[in-house]
Amino acid sequence: MEVRDKRRLGEQIEPGGRPKAPGRLELLQRFVNSYNHDFPREWDRIGTPDRAKAWLRQKRLVAPGDRVSDADVARLRELREAIRALAIANQRGQPEAAATDVIRTLSATAQLGVAIDDTGRTALEPTRGGVDGAVATLVGILHEAQLTGHWLRLKGCRRCGYAFFDRSKNRSAAWCAMSICGNRTKNRAYYRRRRTSER
Ligand SMILES: [Zn+2]
């Protein structure tokens, strides 16, 4: 894969060319995939206040005048890794307590209210603006996806941590893409076996 394409992974390009998550869960998927530990630190789409602001603006998670500080970047990244840990736990069961603690703590200042429109449709909306509102929206999407059951299909790849949406019938997909991570993992197992048999 070319560098130009790698830089678009998780935003314009899905790892493995999988279809993206449905509805608003796509936004949470993009948030988790705003960085991947395989790539240079500077590629983090929310890695600095300016980059985070641009990303949040693009997703309409903050308003034009909203400020994003270094502390906001830190809590957004903390939230991202905690949600990634939850997505990885969708493969293996219970998430680490540290991850749920982070989300619990960050949600305390990021509150949601039930909004109702003229047709009677309700929606969870943040009660504050700025990064508090963005955090609330993201946690609200996590909640919604758990209600619809879609959440269990958003998985963190066992190897690279990319969040991918598992559309397989029995929810058995374990890697973001067999062509990237699945094969890498299988190759490693193959070389391990070969080394063992050569001894
Ligand atoms: Zn992967």
Side-chain angles (χ1 to χ4, degrees):
M1 188 177 252
E2 288 181 32
V3 172
R4 204 184 43 154
D5 286 341
K6 277 188 183 167
R7 294 193 80 135
R8 295 166 67 216
L9 261 181
E11 190 68 49
Q12 293 91 357
I13 299 177
E14 293 306 315
R18 284 176 183 274
K20 55 188 170 27
R24 292 218 301 169
L25 187 54
E26 179 194 346
L27 179 55
L28 196 63
Q29 180 183 24
R30 297 260 177 272
F31 178 62
V32 173
N33 291 344
S34 60
Y35 181 64
N36 184 282
H37 63 78
D38 272 350
F39 296 150
R41 231 11 213 273
E42 323 73 91
W43 289 19
D44 189 338
R45 296 186 183 103
I46 59 165
T48 66
D50 283 347
R51 288 183 65 104
K53 191 176 169 180
W55 192 89
L56 294 167
R57 276 288 300 135
Q58 196 213 346
K59 307 294 186 223
R60 297 171 190 274
L61 284 167
V62 295
D66 288 339
R67 306 244 299 253
V68 179
S69 66
D70 284 318
D72 291 330
V73 167
R75 67 174 160 147
L76 285 166
R77 290 171 68 181
E78 236 190 327
L79 178 66
R80 177 181 64 197
E81 297 318 311
I83 294 175
R84 189 193 313 280
L86 256 60
I88 291 173
N90 280 341
Q91 307 237 31
R92 298 179 187 154
Q94 186 104 355
E96 302 150 37
T100 46
D101 279 348
V102 163
I103 298 172
R104 197 173 291 128
T105 306
L106 293 177
S107 313
T109 52
Q111 310 241 315
L112 290 159
V114 178
I116 184 155
D117 72 6
D118 294 342
T119 67
R121 238 180 91 96
T122 55
L124 284 179
E125 280 179 6
T127 54
R128 292 189 211 176
V131 175
D132 278 351
V135 169
T137 299
L138 293 165
V139 175
I141 296 173
L142 174 66
H143 174 63
E144 271 172 21
Q146 292 188 353
L147 294 182
T148 61
H150 286 145
W151 171 250
L152 285 176
R153 290 185 177 274
L154 194 77
K155 295 179 176 176
C157 172
R158 275 187 195 167
R159 206 204 62 83
C160 70
Y162 263 122
F164 67 91
F165 193 74
D166 181 3
R167 289 181 189 268
S168 68
K169 231 179 213 159
N170 50 0
R171 288 201 323 233
S172 58
W175 292 285
C176 65
M178 278 310 280
S179 62
I180 310 176
C181 288
N183 279 346
R184 261 194 267 184
T185 310
K186 275 199 304 196
N187 285 344
R188 263 207 308 273
Y190 169 74
Y191 288 121
R192 249 198 323 268
R193 274 198 306 274
R194 212 170 60 162
R195 269 204 311 272
T196 321
S197 61
E198 279 167 3
R199 265 178 217 148

